[in-house]
Amino acid sequence: MTSGDGDIREVPFSVTLARPDGAKVVIAVAGEIDLTTAEDLKETFEEALEPVPGRLVVDLEGVEFCDSTGLATLVRINDRCATRGVDLSFLPSPTIRRLALKTGLSTLLPLAGA
């Protein structure tokens, strides 16, 4: 991203893991999901699966940008949860919802409010 004067503005990335109860895990993501941050999201997801929860919520409401690497990571999360029997839902930001609709992933990913 650039500011009005042409300087590149870094968007801070954060990913956090919370276990509000024994059966539910929440991963909250903010900033950009791209080649440089997707690995952090994958690592947090792997941590969320130990032990395997009954429900996983991936809160993407703070995501401002997502590239193809980020989308592939979301698809992998979806596939792994399906394989392990984890009830998954994504809380999409407008950016994620728009990308999912444009790429056809809205029919694959369990987006809340879709």
Side-chain angles (χ1 to χ4, degrees):
M1 295 196 140
T2 60
S3 63
D5 59 7
D7 292 335
I8 295 177
R9 179 176 62 91
E10 288 292 320
V11 176
F13 174 79
S14 69
V15 58
T16 59
L17 175 67
R19 297 179 190 274
D21 62 50
K24 179 179 175 183
V25 174
V26 178
I27 297 174
V29 186
E32 299 182 351
I33 306 173
D34 57 21
L35 184 61
T36 61
T37 61
E39 190 60 36
D40 290 337
L41 178 54
K42 285 187 249 181
E43 289 174 7
T44 302
F45 172 67
E46 292 301 324
E47 183 181 338
L49 291 183
E50 296 300 330
V52 176
R55 178 159 169 70
L56 174 63
V57 176
V58 181
D59 181 348
L60 303 169
E61 293 177 319
V63 174
E64 299 175 23
F65 174 83
C66 183
D67 69 3
S68 60
T69 305
L71 287 176
T73 301
L74 299 181
V75 170
R76 270 189 237 104
I77 288 171
N78 184 67
D79 293 347
R80 292 280 310 278
C81 284
T83 301
R84 294 199 159 185
V86 176
D87 179 24
L88 172 68
S89 64
F90 291 101
L91 303 177
S93 66
T95 298
I96 295 295
R97 186 174 302 283
R98 190 171 39 257
L99 282 171
L101 288 169
K102 286 186 177 192
T103 60
L105 291 176
S106 60
T107 59
L108 173 68
L109 301 177
L111 301 177

